[in-house]
Amino acid sequence: MLKQIKGLHHVTSIASGAQENNAFFTKSLGLRRVKKTVNFDNPKLYHLYYGNEAGSPGTVITYFPNPNAKARQEGTGEVSVTRFSVPKGSILWWEQYFTESGITHLPRETTFGQAQLPFLGPDGENLALVEANEARAPWRTPSVPEGHAIRGFHSVELRLKDTGPTKDLLRFMGYETAGQEGNRTRLVCPAVSTANVIDLMEDPEAPAAQQGAGSVHHIAFSVETREDQMEVQKTLTEAGWAVTSVKDRDYFWAIYFRSPEGILFEVATNEPGFARDEDAAHLGEELRLPKQHEHLREELLENYLEPITEP
Ligand code: ZN
């Protein structure tokens, strides 16, 4: 069993419009854009990162905006909800704020004893706020009062035909079963106290999901160091998982493999972080390009990357 995994590192999803996506996560939700760059494997697409002040692991939601992204089909074998954590007593404020701002939200609910407010992102993606005990500091912005602001991830929920094999994998990765409510199993990573929850929702009759705008592309688990990552890579490989080689993603190192129902899992290092190539006081303000794509800057800006007007 692995001991190096420290909960979620980031969640990466697909958007249609960069402008709408940026405005929603910065202005409406009050996150900081901590990096504006491009997809390593397809530099014609942006890669936008939003999180807390430093973009700490466990706070960062990232998007590949793609104007040609097709419509998604919800179903099994995907991340069905991405949930952010807010301080206790905040959800009523958010409910009113969403209503006033024209952001679609669903009725409040209680899951595993925690108040939860599901809402939709600009591509109809399923997001939620969960009230939790929080010591993490938020990014301070005029949009959202500090006492109610998002602290980072609470959890993700995976919708699966059969939760058994994924539960076994997560337990191998260091998660422990923490509860069961109806067809939902909660797993918690005891090594950390935040961004440490994964819910598995069993739905044997639903069709397989098809990825498109609003889908989660992958979730990344956190490890402290490259040495820890090598241990994870070795142990998973020995257990029969098809794990990739280590990729340098500039702000972290990454390895990838597919979970039993095909969800892309990444294991990313907490080092070196987003201040690697720009001043921590100005994270995310300028377009940063990976070295190998720097020569394409003018072409990308002229022909592919839509201008993002800051809200
Ligand atoms: Zn990733």
Side-chain angles (χ1 to χ4, degrees):
M1 199 191 82
L2 292 166
K3 299 225 178 293
Q4 295 86 358
I5 304 275
K6 302 284 173 69
L8 290 172
H9 185 284
H10 62 270
V11 175
T12 294
S13 300
I14 301 166
S16 51
Q19 174 71 39
E20 294 76 10
N21 182 260
N22 182 76
F24 186 81
F25 285 94
T26 59
K27 185 155 194 301
S28 300
L29 293 193
L31 301 180
R32 184 184 198 189
R33 192 177 69 215
V34 293
K35 197 62 65 180
K36 179 169 151 186
T37 183
V38 294
N39 186 325
F40 267 89
D41 303 317
N42 180 1
K44 294 172 182 172
L45 299 180
Y46 274 120
H47 192 180
L48 304 176
Y49 294 69
Y50 314 100
N52 70 358
E53 182 169 8
S56 310
T59 74
V60 181
I61 187 160
T62 96
Y63 273 87
F64 298 133
N66 179 354
N68 300 315
K70 57 182 188 341
R72 82 187 197 280
Q73 197 99 59
E74 290 180 62
T76 57
E78 69 171 350
V79 177
S80 44
V81 191
T82 303
R83 303 193 190 102
F84 299 99
S85 183
V86 295
K88 287 198 167 162
S90 299
I91 272 187
L92 289 176
W93 182 87
W94 280 97
E95 191 172 36
Q96 193 182 347
Y97 171 74
F98 284 160
T99 303
E100 287 165 0
S101 316
I103 294 167
T104 306
H105 67 83
L106 307 174
R108 272 177 276 133
E109 52 189 67
T110 300
T111 311
F112 294 102
Q114 293 179 304
Q116 186 180 158
L117 180 64
F119 67 103
L120 303 182
D123 284 291
E125 59 267 57
N126 300 307
L127 306 170
L129 300 173
V130 181
E131 287 189 354
N133 287 322
E134 269 293 348
R136 291 180 289 182
W139 171 237
R140 291 193 188 86
T141 93
S143 325
V144 178
E146 195 181 333
H148 300 315
I150 288 173
R151 268 38 186 188
F153 291 121
H154 173 271
S155 54
V156 290
E157 178 174 279
L158 315 184
R159 190 175 173 197
L160 302 166
K161 279 198 185 307
D162 175 5
T163 52
T166 303
K167 184 162 57 175
D168 291 344
L169 168 62
L170 288 167
R171 288 166 61 91
F172 185 69
M173 290 169 69
Y175 281 74
E176 293 174 355
T177 308
Q180 180 84 33
E181 263 187 23
N183 60 349
R184 199 176 266 130
T185 308
R186 173 152 290 190
L187 291 122
V188 172
C189 178
V192 281
S193 58
T194 54
N196 61 346
V197 176
I198 296 187
D199 288 340
L200 305 181
M201 205 250 277
E202 189 159 87
D203 198 350
E205 305 303 331
Q210 287 179 32
Q211 211 163 65
S215 297
V216 172
H217 185 269
H218 64 268
I219 57 172
F221 297 88
S222 158
V223 289
E224 296 284 351
T225 62
R226 298 191 69 185
E227 288 71 42
D228 285 353
Q229 186 179 55
M230 282 172 64
E231 279 298 309
V232 170
Q233 185 190 36
K234 179 168 173 281
T235 309
L236 285 170
T237 303
E238 282 169 3
W241 299 97
V243 185
T244 66
S245 59
V246 176
K247 318 274 182 197
D248 180 356
R249 296 314 197 190
D250 278 355
Y251 313 111
F252 44 86
W253 282 271
I255 54 175
Y256 303 87
F257 65 105
R258 294 267 172 197
S259 72
E261 290 192 24
I263 300 174
L264 187 59
F265 280 8
E266 174 183 343
V267 177
T269 58
N270 291 357
E271 53 186 12
F274 293 102
R276 188 185 192 184
D277 62 353
E278 56 189 344
D279 183 349
H282 296 282
L283 289 181
E285 293 175 11
E286 304 292 334
L287 177 67
R288 311 302 305 190
L289 293 177
K291 269 193 282 321
Q292 64 272 33
H293 299 319
E294 189 57 60
H295 69 285
L296 300 171
R297 180 176 286 267
E298 271 177 40
E299 192 200 339
L300 293 174
L301 284 169
E302 249 165 57
N303 299 323
Y304 297 104
L305 303 173
E306 62 168 294
I308 296 177
T309 314
E310 299 312 326

